[in-house]
């Protein structure tokens, strides 16, 4: 059974940092592209950052230079380091592992709130 469990969310002041984790099980982790998405209230889910199997990364313009996505294939875990957080980063953050349409998995989400 495939499981993705996000953790590390919480309440942080503007300018602060958080590190999200996505721990997986029941999956051959290193063959999947990992993507972090987020969804703010009343808005559509948006891509935040992705890391391919070979390590190539890409970021949305809104987080470029502030967030870093990484993967540890030995631990079957993905991370999203978020620095210089802004109120507009407030959202539920989701981890996604995808190989193709048939092998596409989501975590349950973790809430990130940036507020003073």
């Amino acid at each position: 059974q495939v499981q993705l469990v996000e953790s590390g969310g919480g309440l942080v002041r503007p300018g602060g940092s958080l590190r999200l984790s996505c721990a997986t099980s029941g999956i051959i982790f290193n063959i999947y592209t990992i993507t972090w998405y987020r969804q703010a209230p009343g808005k559509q889910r948006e891509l935040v950052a992705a890391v391919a199997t070979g390590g190539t990364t890409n970021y949305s313009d809104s987080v470029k230079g502030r967030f870093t996505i990484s993967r540890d294939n030995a631990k079957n875990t993905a991370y999203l380091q978020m620095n210089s957080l802004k109120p507009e980063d407030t959202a539920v953050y989701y981890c996604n592992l995808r190989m193709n349409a048939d092998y596409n998995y989501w975590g349950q989400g973790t809430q990130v709130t940036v507020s003073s």
Side-chain angles (χ1 to χ4, degrees):
Q1 184 178 359
V2 177
Q3 287 191 315
L4 280 66
V5 179
E6 297 107 330
S7 61
L11 173 63
V12 64
R13 295 185 184 277
S17 297
L18 285 173
R19 188 175 82 152
L20 306 183
S21 298
C22 175
T24 72
S25 60
I27 200 168
I28 304 174
F29 181 79
N30 61 2
I31 65 174
Y32 286 82
T33 292
I34 300 160
T35 306
W36 286 94
Y37 290 83
R38 66 186 181 188
Q39 187 166 19
K43 295 189 176 181
Q44 289 190 333
R45 190 171 296 190
E46 64 172 351
L47 185 149
V48 175
V51 57
T53 56
T56 302
T57 58
N58 69 282
Y59 298 89
S60 69
D61 287 343
S62 62
V63 307
K64 203 170 292 183
R66 299 188 298 123
F67 290 12
T68 302
I69 189 171
S70 61
R71 61 191 301 159
D72 186 334
N73 291 335
K75 295 183 178 180
N76 295 337
T77 301
Y79 303 97
L80 185 68
Q81 177 67 44
M82 306 187 295
N83 299 328
S84 303
L85 283 160
K86 304 175 181 180
E88 51 263 44
D89 295 318
T90 295
V92 178
Y93 283 71
Y94 298 91
C95 175
N96 170 263
L97 268 67
R98 178 182 172 91
M99 184 164 62
N100 53 44
D102 293 326
Y103 296 92
N104 183 27
Y105 304 102
W106 291 89
Q108 83 288 353
T110 185
Q111 176 70 47
V112 171
T113 303
V114 185
S115 175
S116 55

